[in-house]
Amino acid sequence: ENYKPFAAPGFPPALFRLDWCLTRHAIAMATRFSLKDGSADEVMDEISKTGGPGAPAVQLRQAQHKKQTWLFLCVTHRPDEEARKAYEKHTRREHTGEEEVCMFFPVDGDGKPQPIATATDGSGGRGFLHAVLPTELRISVGGNMQGSWLLSVDRQRLQDFADNAWNRALLATLPRLLTLLLRWIAHVQCKHLAAAYSILPEMEHTDQGELKSNVLGQETSWDPLRSAMRLEPLVPALLDNGTICFMKAHEVLWVPPPFVELLPPGFIKTWLGVTPVAAKELGDAIWHPIWFSLRQIDVALLTQRRRALADALNKQPSPIATAIRLLAALGRWSEGGQPPKPGQPPKASPTALAIGKGAGRVATPGALKGNNDLYTAQLKQGWVGYLPDFALWPVFWTSKGDMVTAGQVRFPDESWAKLPEEVREILEDSVSGEGMHALNSGLIPLTGSTGGPGTTGLVVSSAAMMASLPKIEGCDQQEVLAAKRCLMLSRKHVPNSAVGIADALAKKMKLWQAEGKAKGLPQATIAQVVAVSGWAMDNNDFSIVTHALHGESTALRLTPLNTLHLRSDDILALEQLAGVKLPYVSAVYAGHQAQDAPRWEAFWTKCGAKTGLSYSASEGTVGAPDFQWLPNGKVPPARTSKKEVDLPFGLGILRHTTPRAIDIHFSTEWVQIFQKAANSQPQAGEDWVYRAQCLARLVAKIVADPAGGGAPTAGSAASRGELKKITVPMPTNPNGKPLPPNTPPPAYRRLFYMPPAQPKEMTLPLGPALWVRTLTESRWVLGKDGDKRAWYRPSEVLLEADKARPGMPIAELQPDVRKALGGKGLLGLIQWGTTAPEPPVDRLIAVATGKSSEPLEPLWRTIAQAYRLNSLKPEHIDKLRALADKPVLPPPVEGLLDRAEKVTISRCVAISPEATLDEKEEIQSMIDARWLVDVRSPLWPLRDVAEEVLALVQVPVRLTGSTCIDFVKWCSQAQPDNAGDLRDVFTHAMSKVLEEAKKRPLKDKKMAVKQMIPNLKIYCKEGPGLSKDRFPARWLPIFDQVAGNVKPML
């Protein structure tokens, strides 16, 4: 109280002064300005050493001073009712008004933020939570957080977030504080971006595009930051002159750092059409998942801007130097985003780093606490995998000035001296082929041989490369080295280079194919095939081996890999289920070395062998079903000037006069499996269920490509909802062109045509692709209706039980398979449980007439289900009742006397409750003799739907004469050995036969019986006599003469 505020030089008056032991802190507000949703305060702390209370003034004037600036980012927080009640309960006093919550961190004299360092205890914590004084709790943000927290008794911990709504509400302001941080960075045009953005916490970018992480046990969403970046200019971008300007997220493109470091920003914008992010200034912060909010480079953008890149490159003062920097940037990016260190090979191939779309979702940050380097490395790997693969970047400059991808360029390969002598001798008589485009002559010096014999692939020291590097004007040697490495990487993705091992091997494969076509390959050739493939496997060279051995061990032939499968439990189970044999890669490669089998399997997978469902692309003319998808039902007008472009998937040339429809379908063997799997009769037991579920497990792994989809073309019948069900025929060439391995199958059939006044082709959707229609129209889903299994189309079965649709069958699949089938992989193109199963009446008729061998029970159950759901049409019922004389019902479990596999309706009975005891006795004798089928017996396979069957067909309720006549006819013909067991039933049957004879208009009843059963025989028991003269028991005819003048009596 003896001290008065003083005026600090150049600052507002001090707000307060604190003497702490021998140190004096003079606290003053340096600057304050408002930001959207808050404010930013710079507070100056002038620190000086004192002599303690009562020290002479001269001593204070001579004390050394030190200044520390703190930045406070403050937001106003209005607690909700739940939080207010929690506060009042804890403090026992009323709460009114608003709270101020701050995040603060030190800033140096140059305005550079000084983020709070990560704790060394492995917790991953950084900034402390302050309630005026610090607590022991730390958060993963690089700044401290001040708020009116409700504390524990020792004031070192907080009331538990799970139980305290007040503390939860305060913590929930953290996204607002970080959004304020972004606004502050943009407002002050912070020069130290790497330090400023390193304050952000670790975040996880999910497959759903969300940003989230766990803060003090609370799931926290960072989407407010994403929203602010979309709506406000908060993203640092590089203008053409190299200065930094803050822009909105959709106005900035995330470009890999090597491209930003090596290429002028104006060139990048001209190439990609969007301002690049200031990657170099961001340092390691460029890898933060928050930048997934920016526009991203994808294959479509690279393809669309390929011509712009070529124009920009050709206009450069030194196009060769720029072309080299492009390759150098791609090479560094594919090797992990960093230039290689001298004497070290790249960290990994682009294949190893390309972990696919969705790779932006890195490992949970909590798993990497306290290890910033590991977390940053993980983020880098995620970005490399998220952006297009190495082979999809069109940055290779051709001799015609075009820009193409690695797979479209031709350039000399490395020296064959790198091959082992054995492999070199095998391939040396082969002839190399040519690529599609020649590499620009200015880049040819980069393709020279590197290293000596024995060096393979990319494992070449940088020192050896540097010694052989050419001098390129305008480029330093590190850039030339990186470009050379990029060309070496591209060889991994080029199956047909101009002069190289891949072309030689491709030629050799064709010769081996021809050699083994007739009788198989000789053992010497097989050994050569295995040796070359083994060399490729050892060098991780997956692109050059396109064929593999297949067939019986005595007749092995070389077959294209994209037609061969690798054995797996699911595929072998499907073979057994559908009865379809699939071609496999021979086991001869591993030989007797069982430990090598997994390596070979991984190798063949990467080479393109089929590991599951496979697809082919076919092209054809526009058919009648396609016109429903076209505007006004017509093919759009075509250009008149001549032009040709390549169709996708290697399907040939699109000419300006001939539009083509491109469809994607399952490979032939998989079409057969879909057709034949449903013919497998459902059985009990886990083994059969496992086999039946295999097809659904494979379908669940599909991730469809939505290219060419979307709303139907305006003016088409499809856009008006007037689609008619017209079957699209199978393509003329059912095999087509196999889709490359790991290529998502396009989900839509598309029309490719050349419109007038357009530089390239255009496409129009023609409805779902054939593989999608195969899935929707085939019965491949195992389902249960009650306790009975059957095969269903997706539309006929529910993935999960639905009370709103009772009576619908439920898919019998594992939970993860059901989840995947109903997820985003199939783009919602498969509809589940939308219609009652189509009554298979026509299929039942085909079985009854001998045109099909399909099991009867699933058909009848599906028909019964349709009857219960009132979806049977009158014509269906008429067709069923017309089957009275056809074998259309299954026998009982114990089988029938005549071993019939199907019975007519007349051989079935549903005993009438009004039947007399004599009638019931007659019927029961026929049932016990296993001639008549009791449809109400618990042993009849269709007992669970017996009432529905009785309602649909007219099953007799009493024993009919025709049934008895048929029984006696069969006995007369088959002469069963167990005649003694049939005495009673035969008696009843003959009684009925005689009754039927009386109804005949013939006076002679014997002739009436003969007319009904011409070959009537009866069983005569063993008769009188001794030894050989004794009459043997046997069946004897009634009407024909018997040797020995024996005449049976009825």
Side-chain angles (χ1 to χ4, degrees):
E1 62 185 14
N2 295 326
Y3 296 100
K4 296 180 180 180
F6 64 95
F11 296 100
L15 299 181
F16 62 87
R17 188 166 58 200
L18 170 67
D19 286 338
W20 187 265
C21 296
L22 300 181
T23 303
R24 172 172 292 172
H25 295 265
I27 310 300
M29 179 74 71
T31 61
R32 160 171 277 189
F33 52 85
S34 296
L35 297 170
K36 182 179 179 181
D37 193 32
S39 63
D41 300 337
E42 283 191 14
V43 176
M44 178 71 72
D45 179 10
E46 185 175 280
I47 307 169
S48 58
K49 297 292 185 180
T50 71
V58 64
Q59 183 176 346
L60 293 177
R61 287 195 297 270
Q62 295 175 353
Q64 293 184 349
H65 294 263
K66 182 174 71 171
K67 295 179 180 179
Q68 173 67 64
T69 303
W70 293 81
L71 178 67
F72 284 74
L73 300 173
C74 307
V75 297
T76 300
H77 166 60
R78 181 177 291 276
D80 59 18
E81 184 64 17
E82 183 184 10
R84 186 183 62 78
K85 289 181 179 180
Y87 177 90
E88 293 176 352
K89 179 180 178 181
H90 181 80
T91 62
R92 294 187 177 89
R93 63 175 180 266
E94 183 181 7
H95 180 276
T96 59
E98 299 174 334
E99 295 287 326
E100 185 179 75
V101 186
C102 303
M103 180 177 71
F104 62 98
F105 49 85
V107 179
D108 69 11
D110 194 33
K112 180 179 180 180
Q114 305 290 310
I116 309 299
T118 304
T120 59
D121 58 4
S123 64
R126 299 171 71 188
F128 287 91
L129 292 186
H130 283 243
V132 180
L133 295 177
T135 69
E136 66 180 20
L137 291 182
R138 304 181 76 160
I139 55 177
S140 58
V141 180
N144 301 310
M145 186 175 179
Q146 160 66 31
S148 53
W149 306 98
L150 297 181
L151 303 176
S152 59
V153 176
D154 61 1
R155 297 189 59 82
Q156 290 298 302
R157 293 181 298 277
L158 273 61
Q159 294 291 313
D160 189 77
F161 288 100
D163 303 326
N164 194 292
W166 177 267
N167 285 347
R168 276 202 313 273
L170 288 177
L171 187 64
T173 63
L174 187 55
R176 291 176 57 198
L177 290 171
L178 291 178
T179 304
L180 208 60
L181 171 67
L182 301 184
R183 292 182 179 127
W184 174 79
I185 294 171
H187 180 83
V188 302
Q189 300 283 306
C190 183
K191 298 181 296 183
H192 308 283
L193 296 179
Y197 285 106
S198 66
I199 294 173
L200 294 172
E202 298 173 352
M203 299 179 186
E204 179 182 359
H205 181 256
T206 68
D207 288 335
Q208 291 73 37
E210 300 174 340
L211 282 176
K212 63 179 184 178
S213 59
N214 189 290
V215 180
L216 295 178
Q218 303 300 302
E219 188 75 11
T220 303
S221 171
W222 306 109
D223 283 342
L225 282 74
R226 291 163 49 91
S227 299
M229 292 168 68
R230 284 196 297 266
L231 301 174
E232 302 172 44
L234 302 179
V235 179
L238 276 180
L239 298 181
D240 292 357
N241 59 5
T243 60
I244 294 176
C245 175
F246 286 82
M247 306 172 72
K248 296 179 181 179
H250 68 273
E251 299 171 335
V252 184
L253 183 70
W254 196 95
V255 180
F259 289 89
V260 180
E261 294 167 3
L262 295 177
L263 300 170
F267 179 87
I268 296 176
K269 183 176 180 181
T270 303
W271 166 24
L272 297 171
V274 188
T275 305
V277 67
K280 184 176 181 181
E281 289 75 7
L282 286 170
D284 282 345
I286 187 62
W287 310 110
H288 198 281
I290 198 173
W291 305 122
F292 281 105
S293 307
L294 311 186
R295 292 184 62 177
Q296 303 296 326
I297 295 176
D298 56 20
V299 177
L301 178 65
L302 292 175
T303 303
Q304 292 167 5
R305 304 296 301 179
R306 188 174 66 174
R307 172 49 56 189
L309 174 59
D311 293 342
L313 177 61
N314 292 319
K315 292 177 182 178
Q316 290 292 303
S318 178
I320 293 178
T322 304
I324 286 177
R325 291 193 183 97
L326 270 170
L327 295 177
L330 178 60
R332 289 182 181 178
W333 170 242
S334 299
E335 291 178 351
Q338 296 295 327
K341 296 179 181 179
Q344 290 187 0
K347 296 179 182 178
S349 70
T351 304
L353 292 175
I355 53 180
K357 297 298 179 187
R361 179 173 57 80
V362 301
T364 304
L368 305 174
K369 286 181 177 179
N371 194 334
N372 293 332
D373 291 340
L374 181 58
Y375 177 64
T376 301
Q378 188 81 359
L379 289 175
K380 288 181 184 179
Q381 188 182 44
W383 278 101
V384 172
Y386 185 82
L387 268 61
D389 292 344
F390 173 91
L392 301 176
W393 289 77
V395 297
F396 293 81
W397 192 31
T398 72
S399 58
K400 295 183 179 180
D402 296 326
M403 304 303 295
V404 297
T405 61
Q408 299 170 309
V409 73
R410 178 192 68 185
F411 60 89
D413 203 348
E414 66 181 7
S415 172
W416 280 32
K418 298 181 178 183
L419 289 172
E421 183 176 354
E422 177 189 9
V423 177
R424 188 169 64 250
E425 290 177 354
I426 294 172
L427 300 180
E428 63 186 3
D429 60 342
S430 301
V431 179
S432 60
E434 291 187 353
M436 297 173 61
H437 299 272
L439 191 67
N440 190 281
S441 59
L443 302 178
I444 292 298
L446 299 178
T447 65
S449 176
T450 301
T455 58
T456 58
L458 295 178
V459 186
V460 182
S461 71
S462 296
M465 284 190 181
M466 292 291 284
S468 62
L469 284 179
K471 303 292 183 181
I472 306 294
E473 184 178 356
C475 296
D476 62 41
Q477 291 302 89
Q478 285 295 334
E479 293 171 349
V480 177
L481 174 61
K484 185 178 182 68
R485 283 185 172 275
C486 181
L487 288 180
M488 295 178 67
L489 283 170
S490 69
R491 287 181 23 248
K492 293 281 185 179
H493 305 274
V494 180
N496 298 309
S497 54
V499 178
I501 299 170
D503 284 324
L505 182 55
K507 178 65 176 179
K508 195 68 176 179
M509 292 280 185
K510 291 181 179 179
L511 296 175
W512 284 335
Q513 266 190 294
E515 182 183 359
K517 188 174 182 179
K519 298 182 179 180
L521 291 169
Q523 288 300 317
T525 304
I526 292 173
Q528 290 182 341
V529 174
V530 173
V532 173
S533 301
W535 170 81
M537 179 179 68
D538 292 339
N539 287 272
N540 296 321
D541 211 334
F542 313 117
S543 62
I544 67 171
V545 177
T546 58
H547 293 65
L549 294 168
H550 156 69
E552 300 295 333
S553 58
T554 56
L556 288 174
R557 294 174 174 83
L558 208 58
T559 305
L561 257 175
N562 55 27
T563 65
L564 298 179
H565 292 75
L566 294 177
R567 287 177 173 83
S568 69
D569 291 342
D570 281 353
I571 292 180
L572 292 173
L574 281 174
E575 274 192 330
Q576 299 175 16
L577 186 76
V580 175
K581 287 294 183 182
L582 298 175
Y584 294 104
V585 175
S586 172
V588 72
Y589 290 94
H592 300 294
Q593 304 296 323
Q595 67 273 15
D596 288 342
R599 288 186 63 220
W600 280 108
E601 183 176 341
F603 173 69
W604 293 127
T605 300
K606 294 177 181 178
C607 287
K610 299 178 183 181
T611 58
L613 296 172
S614 58
Y615 311 84
S616 294
S618 294
E619 58 89 20
T621 57
V622 180
D626 299 320
F627 292 115
Q628 303 179 95
W629 296 87
L630 298 176
N632 302 317
K634 298 179 181 179
V635 176
R639 65 184 293 156
T640 55
S641 57
K642 185 176 181 181
K643 186 173 179 64
E644 296 179 348
V645 296
D646 293 331
L647 287 170
F649 308 118
L651 291 174
I653 300 297
L654 174 66
R655 295 178 173 82
H656 69 288
T657 56
T658 312
R660 308 302 289 171
I662 291 185
D663 211 341
I664 308 298
H665 50 89
F666 288 117
S667 302
T668 305
E669 65 270 18
W670 286 105
V671 173
Q672 294 175 355
I673 287 176
F674 274 103
Q675 291 172 345
K676 295 183 179 181
N679 292 336
S680 173
Q681 184 172 359
Q683 302 172 15
E686 294 182 359
D687 289 345
W688 188 89
V689 172
Y690 171 83
R691 292 196 297 270
Q693 293 173 336
C694 288
L695 200 50
R697 279 196 293 273
L698 293 177
V699 173
K701 298 177 182 178
I702 297 176
V703 178
D705 180 0
T713 307
S716 65
S719 68
R720 298 189 297 271
E722 299 173 0
L723 275 176
K724 298 178 181 178
K725 187 174 182 180
I726 305 176
T727 302
V728 179
M730 279 290 291
T732 307
N733 178 9
N735 292 318
K737 294 286 186 179
L739 259 62
N742 303 319
T743 299
Y748 297 94
R749 176 179 171 92
R750 289 186 290 169
L751 172 70
F752 283 71
Y753 69 103
M754 303 286 291
Q758 294 293 328
K760 61 178 184 178
E761 79 281 4
M762 293 188 68
T763 65
L764 290 176
L766 298 176
L770 185 53
W771 72 266
V772 177
R773 300 195 299 275
T774 300
L775 290 181
T776 58
E777 297 169 8
S778 302
R779 289 180 173 85
W780 54 272
V781 184
L782 181 66
K784 292 187 77 172
D785 184 6
D787 60 348
K788 299 297 181 181
R789 293 187 175 99
W791 293 99
Y792 296 96
R793 299 184 180 95
S795 61
E796 299 170 346
V797 66
L798 294 171
L799 286 175
E800 303 285 352
D802 187 350
K803 293 181 180 179
R805 289 180 283 181
M808 288 291 289
I810 309 298
E812 189 177 4
L813 303 170
Q814 295 95 333
D816 60 325
V817 175
R818 288 200 301 269
K819 182 178 179 181
L821 291 175
K824 297 181 179 180
L826 294 172
L827 306 177
L829 294 169
I830 306 298
Q831 300 298 317
W832 296 91
T834 56
T835 60
E838 175 69 20
V841 175
D842 292 334
R843 291 160 57 199
L844 185 67
I845 293 173
V847 176
T849 55
K851 297 178 180 178
S852 170
S853 59
E854 193 171 357
L856 286 169
E857 296 172 35
L859 299 179
W860 272 111
R861 285 198 178 85
T862 306
I863 292 171
Q865 171 72 4
Y867 176 75
R868 288 197 293 265
L869 297 175
N870 295 320
S871 60
L872 270 182
K873 300 176 182 177
E875 54 264 32
H876 290 148
I877 297 176
D878 292 341
K879 288 181 178 179
L880 290 172
R881 290 180 176 172
L883 295 174
D885 60 340
K886 296 291 190 297
V888 73
L889 289 172
V893 174
E894 67 271 20
L896 291 174
L897 183 62
D898 59 351
R899 299 181 181 178
E901 296 181 355
K902 303 187 292 269
V903 296
T904 60
I905 295 172
S906 61
R907 279 189 69 176
C908 297
V909 66
I911 303 175
S912 170
E914 299 176 359
T916 65
L917 289 176
D918 290 342
E919 288 176 330
K920 291 181 179 179
E921 182 182 349
E922 291 175 344
I923 294 172
Q924 193 61 47
S925 69
M926 295 293 278
I927 294 172
D928 293 342
R930 296 187 294 116
W931 183 262
L932 205 58
V933 177
D934 180 4
V935 297
R936 287 198 172 98
S937 167
L939 298 180
W940 192 46
L942 295 177
R943 177 64 185 88
D944 54 317
V945 293
E947 298 308 317
E948 288 82 356
V949 174
L950 291 173
L952 293 171
V953 296
Q954 297 176 345
V955 176
V957 297
R958 289 180 171 85
L959 186 61
T960 64
S962 62
T963 300
C964 293
I965 292 172
D966 290 340
F967 173 72
V968 174
K969 280 184 178 179
W970 179 82
C971 288
S972 300
Q973 180 180 358
Q975 301 181 40
D977 294 334
N978 63 334
D981 298 335
L982 302 177
R983 177 175 179 175
D984 289 344
V985 65
F986 193 86
T987 301
H988 288 302
M990 280 304 303
S991 176
K992 278 286 185 182
V993 170
L994 295 176
E995 288 180 11
E996 291 296 313
K998 293 176 183 179
K999 299 176 184 178
R1000 299 272 171 148
L1002 298 174
K1003 292 182 180 181
D1004 188 346
K1005 301 308 175 186
K1006 179 178 179 181
M1007 290 302 297
V1009 172
K1010 185 175 182 179
Q1011 192 179 62
M1012 290 186 293
I1013 312 174
N1015 298 320
L1016 176 62
K1017 294 181 181 179
I1018 63 174
Y1019 184 76
C1020 297
K1021 295 170 60 177
E1022 190 176 30
L1026 298 173
S1027 186
K1028 64 179 181 178
D1029 295 328
R1030 186 172 177 83
F1031 179 79
R1034 63 184 186 273
W1035 290 85
L1036 294 176
I1038 289 287
F1039 305 114
D1040 296 336
Q1041 186 68 30
V1042 182
N1045 238 358
V1046 177
K1047 178 172 283 191
M1049 300 297 294
L1050 182 62

